[in-house]
């Protein structure tokens, strides 16, 4: 039996990666780990590793508490689901803490219990920030490795990322929408929160991916097209699996909408204008949503 395709989805942040995980998780030819974002390739630095391990251990405690509650009320289906998620998380933590000299433990974690699958995947948007050398190491782990980079309308992606940041940082006394606009103001006027822009720097990231990843092993996909029959067909053709209807037909994890201030919108579009132009020239015709936002610039 042929080895499964190892798929890396390297972003972009807030561009449909959770939807992609859920689609592949439910696909009969795929076998996804219970942990969407493994953060293996971006935690070779000791400080980053420790920070990620803390986050994973917190999540592990939360899942164990959920399991105890489900056990108490007799929700056996939930107990079984949580057992799988807990076991996958424990094994991932052991992998991150163990010998990472040749990446074999990581590959074993991904493949464990997934015999017969056509595709397994690690969907970690932060991988888009990795160096050429790190991406090459990912590429060479297995000859079946493929990469997907999802790109969403630049303004929509930026605002969604900002709102996610605002939700995470908001104190009880702060108004969510106001905090979101304050973050955008700091980006535009003070050059702060630069990581939000870096995660959506399509020209820089796509150039890097194209330098390192052979053409047949890299897919640049408009997020707006991903939720269409044509987009699903393109995705599945790239992965060598049959298209199936998606259980969820819209993006996940959008959160509260929040309204961007009119006085900030033109400046944000101006900041991103070169991204629209570059993608149109180097990736393909822009989806309608991109054209609509660009027309406001």
């Amino acid at each position: 039996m042929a080895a499964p395709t190892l798929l890396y989805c390297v972003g972009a942040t807030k561009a449909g990666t959770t939807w992609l995980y859920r689609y592949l998780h439910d696909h009969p030819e795929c076998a996804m780990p219970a942990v969407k974002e493994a953060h293996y390739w971006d935690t070779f630095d000791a400080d980053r590793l420790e920070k990620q391990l803390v986050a994973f251990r917190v999540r592990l405690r939360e899942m164990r508490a959920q399991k105890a509650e489900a056990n108490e009320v007799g929700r056996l289906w939930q107990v079984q689901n949580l057992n799988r998620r807990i076991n996958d998380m424990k094994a991932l933590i052991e992998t991150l803490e163990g010998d990472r000299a040749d990446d074999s433990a990581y590959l074993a974690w991904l493949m464990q219990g997934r015999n017969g699958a056509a595709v397994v995947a690690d969907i970690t948007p932060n991988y888009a920030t990795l160096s050429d050398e790190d991406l090459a190491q990912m590429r060479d782990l297995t000859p079946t490795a493929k990469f997907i980079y999802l790109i969403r309308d630049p303004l929509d992606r930026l605002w969604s990322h900002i709102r996610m940041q605002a939700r995470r940082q908001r104190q009880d006394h702060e108004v969510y929408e106001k905090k979101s606009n304050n973050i955008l103001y700091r980006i535009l006027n003070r050059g702060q929160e630069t990581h939000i822009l870096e995660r959506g720097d399509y020209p820089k990231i796509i150039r890097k991916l194209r330098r390192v990843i052979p053409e047949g092993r890299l897919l640049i996909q408009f997020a707006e097209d991903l939720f269409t029959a044509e987009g699903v067909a393109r995705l599945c053709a790239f992965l060598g699996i049959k298209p199936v209807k998606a259980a969820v037909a819209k993006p996940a994890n959008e959160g509260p909408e929040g309204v961007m201030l009119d006085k900030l919108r033109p400046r944000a579009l101006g900041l991103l204008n070169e991204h629209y132009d570059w993608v149109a020239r180097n990736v393909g015709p822009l989806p309608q949503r991109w054209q609509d936002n660009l027309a406001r610039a």
Side-chain angles (χ1 to χ4, degrees):
M1 183 175 292
T5 293
L6 168 54
L7 173 65
Y8 301 111
C9 178
V10 299
T13 303
K14 307 306 294 180
T17 60
T18 298
W19 185 94
L20 176 63
Y21 172 82
R22 291 179 180 176
Y23 179 79
L24 296 177
H25 182 277
D26 295 339
H27 196 289
E29 296 181 68
C30 305
M32 305 293 287
V35 184
K36 175 201 167 201
E37 300 185 23
H39 285 284
Y40 177 83
W41 297 99
D42 59 345
T43 55
F44 282 87
D45 175 82
D47 290 338
R48 289 185 179 181
L49 173 59
E50 186 54 35
K51 183 178 179 180
Q52 191 59 53
L53 287 173
V54 168
F56 279 160
R57 289 178 184 130
V58 168
R59 186 69 191 114
L60 189 58
R61 288 196 297 271
E62 291 172 347
M63 288 190 291
R64 283 170 170 159
Q66 291 170 353
K67 177 185 172 183
E69 181 182 342
N71 243 328
E72 193 171 324
V73 297
R75 290 197 297 265
L76 297 183
W77 63 268
Q78 189 177 10
V79 171
Q80 292 174 348
N81 178 267
L82 284 164
N83 275 335
R84 173 177 173 263
R85 292 167 62 191
I86 288 168
N87 289 337
D88 257 13
M89 181 64 82
K90 287 169 57 181
L92 177 57
I93 290 173
E94 291 174 3
T95 299
L96 294 178
E97 290 180 318
D99 182 6
R100 299 171 68 175
D102 62 0
D103 309 313
S104 59
Y106 164 75
L107 189 59
W109 173 78
L110 275 173
M111 301 298 180
Q112 180 66 36
R114 302 181 232 289
N115 296 332
V119 176
V120 297
D122 177 355
I123 299 180
T124 305
N126 196 50
Y127 292 166
T129 66
L130 295 175
S131 68
D132 289 36
E133 292 75 20
D134 290 332
L135 290 169
Q137 190 172 347
M138 295 167 64
R139 176 199 65 202
D140 295 340
L141 180 60
T142 166
T144 67
K146 292 186 175 182
F147 291 70
I148 287 180
Y149 185 58
L150 301 176
I151 55 174
R152 179 185 179 186
D153 171 81
L155 185 66
D156 289 345
R157 194 218 68 83
L158 174 67
W159 186 234
S160 183
H161 198 161
I162 286 171
R163 286 163 27 228
M164 178 179 71
Q165 190 87 342
R167 288 196 303 275
R168 291 176 174 177
Q169 296 178 350
R170 187 179 71 85
Q171 304 296 314
D172 290 340
H173 67 280
E174 292 181 304
V175 177
Y176 162 73
E177 187 172 292
K178 182 177 180 181
K179 187 171 185 65
S180 297
N181 279 287
N182 284 342
I183 292 173
L184 178 56
Y185 177 89
R186 293 197 300 270
I187 290 172
L188 295 173
N189 293 282
R190 300 178 184 173
Q192 297 177 355
E193 317 269 0
T194 56
H195 71 282
I196 295 178
L197 290 174
E198 289 169 357
R199 295 293 189 90
D201 190 342
Y202 300 151
K204 178 180 178 181
I205 293 169
I206 293 173
R207 287 191 192 104
K208 176 174 61 176
L209 290 171
R210 286 175 171 172
R211 279 197 306 269
V212 178
I213 313 303
E215 183 176 350
R217 295 167 66 180
L218 173 64
L219 175 64
I220 309 298
Q221 172 79 51
F222 288 108
E224 292 81 2
D225 294 342
L226 191 60
F227 313 115
T228 67
E230 294 79 8
V232 168
R234 184 175 183 231
L235 165 71
C236 292
F238 175 70
L239 295 175
I241 57 179
K242 294 180 180 179
V244 298
K245 185 177 180 180
V248 179
K250 60 181 181 179
N253 295 339
E254 273 297 281
E257 181 62 28
V259 177
M260 185 185 299
L261 292 176
D262 289 340
K263 65 181 180 181
L264 297 179
R265 180 181 294 272
R267 295 189 57 202
L269 277 167
L271 183 67
L272 300 167
N273 187 60
E274 65 177 285
H275 292 185
Y276 287 93
D277 181 62
W278 190 92
V279 170
R281 288 185 289 105
N282 294 279
V283 178
L286 301 181
Q288 190 60 49
R289 177 64 180 179
W290 291 55
Q291 296 179 45
D292 292 344
N293 270 338
L294 184 58
R296 302 181 186 183

